[in-house]
């Protein structure tokens, strides 16, 4: 039977701008813009498809030395400036493939339970 350590050490890696980190989840949301048209004296509305909105991505990255050697602080110190600089890059998503993405926000979880590093939640948006 697999132990929790075996399971967590087998996490897939997420890649963004040639940086990689073990990833626990890579959620994404897709919405489609619909321009609404109203008609006098007619209930309801008509809609025109104006395309897919930018896809939003949320990922949970592990910078934990128990998951990957030298993940913290070494790998984290490579990711941190990239998360702060605001520029876009290719995100290799496990389902959607390569998507151009830009960071919207990120959150660091530093807890006593994870003394081998940090867990970082990053929110991306698709960009051109």
């Amino acid at each position: 039977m697999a132990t929790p350590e075996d399971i967590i050490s087998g996490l897939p890696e997420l890649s963004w701008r040639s940086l990689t980190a073990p990833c626990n989840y890579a959620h994404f949301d897709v919405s489609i813009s619909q321009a609404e048209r109203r008609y006098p004296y007619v209930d309801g509305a008509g809609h025109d498809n104006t395309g897919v909105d930018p896809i939003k991505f949320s990922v949970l990255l592990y910078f934990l030395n128990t998951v990957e050697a030298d993940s913290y602080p070494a790998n984290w110190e490579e990711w941190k400036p990239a998360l702060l600089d605001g520029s876009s890059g290719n995100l290799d998503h496990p389902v959607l493939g390569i998507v151009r993405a830009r960071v919207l926000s990120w959150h660091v979880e530093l807890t006593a339970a994870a003394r081998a590093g940090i867990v970082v939640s990053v929110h991306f948006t698709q960009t051109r």
Side-chain angles (χ1 to χ4, degrees), residues 3-124:
T3 67
E5 290 81 16
D6 294 334
I7 294 167
I8 203 164
S9 66
L11 292 173
E13 285 201 331
L14 181 104
S15 172
W16 178 64
R17 290 174 47 183
S18 300
L19 299 169
T20 60
C23 179
N24 187 18
Y25 66 74
H27 298 284
F28 62 96
D29 295 310
V30 179
S31 60
I32 300 169
S33 290
Q34 300 287 340
E36 187 174 278
R37 288 181 283 112
R38 298 272 180 170
Y39 303 97
Y41 315 110
V42 177
D43 292 340
H47 293 86
D48 293 322
N49 179 356
T50 60
V52 177
D53 293 327
I55 299 171
K56 306 287 189 215
F57 303 90
S58 295
V59 300
L60 188 65
L61 304 176
Y62 286 165
F63 297 95
L64 300 170
N65 292 328
T66 52
V67 174
E68 184 175 77
D70 296 326
S71 187
Y72 187 83
N75 194 24
W76 168 244
E77 291 300 328
E78 292 180 23
W79 272 82
K80 187 170 53 173
L83 294 172
L84 287 169
D85 74 17
S87 55
S88 66
N90 287 338
L91 178 105
D92 191 356
H93 191 277
V95 174
L96 298 172
I98 295 177
V99 178
R100 192 85 176 161
R102 186 178 305 273
V103 172
L104 293 175
S105 65
W106 47 285
H107 169 81
V108 175
E109 189 175 319
L110 177 62
T111 66
R115 297 188 327 208
I118 59 174
V119 177
V120 181
S121 174
V122 185
H123 306 282
F124 293 96

